[in-house]
Amino acid sequence: MKNKSRYCKKCSKQFKSSMQKRICYDCWRAEKKTRREERAKKKLERKLNSKKWLNKEKRRVTGECDNLWKKAVIAYYGDKCVICGNVKINIHHIIGRRNKNVRWYIPNGCPLCAGDHTFLKDSAHQNPLKFRQKMIELRGEAWEKDLIEKGNQAWDKDIYKIKNYLLNGLK
């Protein structure tokens, strides 16, 4: 069988082919490339909508929010222990981290040294009621009411909104 001259269905360019091709090599390559790109796009779309990827992304952003919250609390209250003035500090949640409404709320944080945070007899973790009384003395009853009110609200679960709030808190 001889090479016959044919015309491409896509670009109308003349080409020689020994096979029953209806399109030229250039159009065939372009078609193949677009099919490959479409498959890659669908694969990425499936990945972005998968629960595994979404959970991984949520954990990543949650970790970023935790770090931003620590920096925001230090920027807001200073880098010394609120009780004794020590420079080596930990950041304490007044209302626990499980309550997502106030987990990243800046007034819910308090810079404390390791002793006042966990190790001493009257520390925040050893004697939470006494610690709460100290915080009310330092920050006032309006602060506590605001914190309790915020903690009892429904959480909207938008972690990106929280991240923006924390970034604005650092400015």
Side-chain angles (χ1 to χ4, degrees):
M1 185 186 245
K2 293 182 180 178
N3 288 344
K4 292 183 180 178
S5 289
R6 298 186 182 271
Y7 291 95
C8 177
K9 273 188 150 184
K10 295 211 178 226
C11 65
S12 302
K13 191 168 82 174
Q14 188 176 4
F15 67 97
K16 291 187 178 184
S17 173
S18 60
M19 300 171 65
Q20 293 293 325
K21 287 185 178 177
R22 292 190 171 91
I23 58 175
C24 66
Y25 180 75
D26 295 333
C27 292
W28 176 78
R29 294 285 294 167
E31 211 174 74
K32 188 175 179 180
K33 184 179 178 185
T34 56
R35 281 195 307 263
R36 190 181 311 124
E37 288 172 352
E38 285 174 10
R39 279 194 308 268
K41 194 184 219 181
K42 285 180 183 177
K43 186 178 179 181
L44 179 64
E45 200 172 293
R46 279 194 308 270
K47 176 188 171 188
L48 294 178
N49 290 329
S50 74
K51 283 187 176 182
K52 184 178 179 181
W53 186 85
L54 288 171
N55 288 338
K56 200 174 189 180
E57 177 68 8
K58 187 178 175 185
R59 281 194 308 270
R60 184 188 66 77
V61 176
T62 299
E64 281 182 21
C65 286
D66 286 339
N67 291 332
L68 287 171
W69 178 79
K70 289 175 188 175
K71 290 177 185 175
V73 169
I74 290 170
Y76 193 77
Y77 292 110
D79 60 348
K80 293 183 179 179
C81 177
V82 174
I83 296 172
C84 68
N86 197 339
V87 179
K88 292 186 177 181
I89 57 168
N90 299 320
I91 306 300
H92 175 68
H93 286 86
I94 310 297
I95 296 176
R97 290 167 40 117
R98 281 188 183 173
N99 188 338
K100 299 274 200 272
N101 293 332
V102 289
R103 177 177 181 167
W104 298 288
Y105 188 48
I106 295 170
N108 187 38
C110 179
L112 297 171
C113 66
D116 289 323
H117 189 211
T118 40
F119 296 126
L120 295 176
K121 186 177 165 186
D122 291 334
S123 67
H125 285 278
Q126 299 293 330
N127 195 345
L129 294 175
K130 194 169 186 181
F131 176 74
R132 196 157 198 154
Q133 288 298 325
K134 283 183 191 177
M135 292 309 297
I136 292 170
E137 289 172 17
L138 291 171
R139 296 186 182 168
E141 300 231 354
W143 163 81
E144 186 190 31
K145 286 180 184 175
D146 174 53
L147 201 59
I148 291 170
E149 188 178 301
K150 177 83 173 163
N152 289 331
Q153 293 174 356
W155 187 48
D156 65 351
K157 298 182 181 182
D158 189 0
I159 196 83
Y160 295 101
K161 194 186 292 183
I162 292 166
K163 186 176 176 182
N164 288 333
Y165 159 73
L166 292 168
L167 288 170
N168 289 333
L170 285 172
K171 292 178 183 176

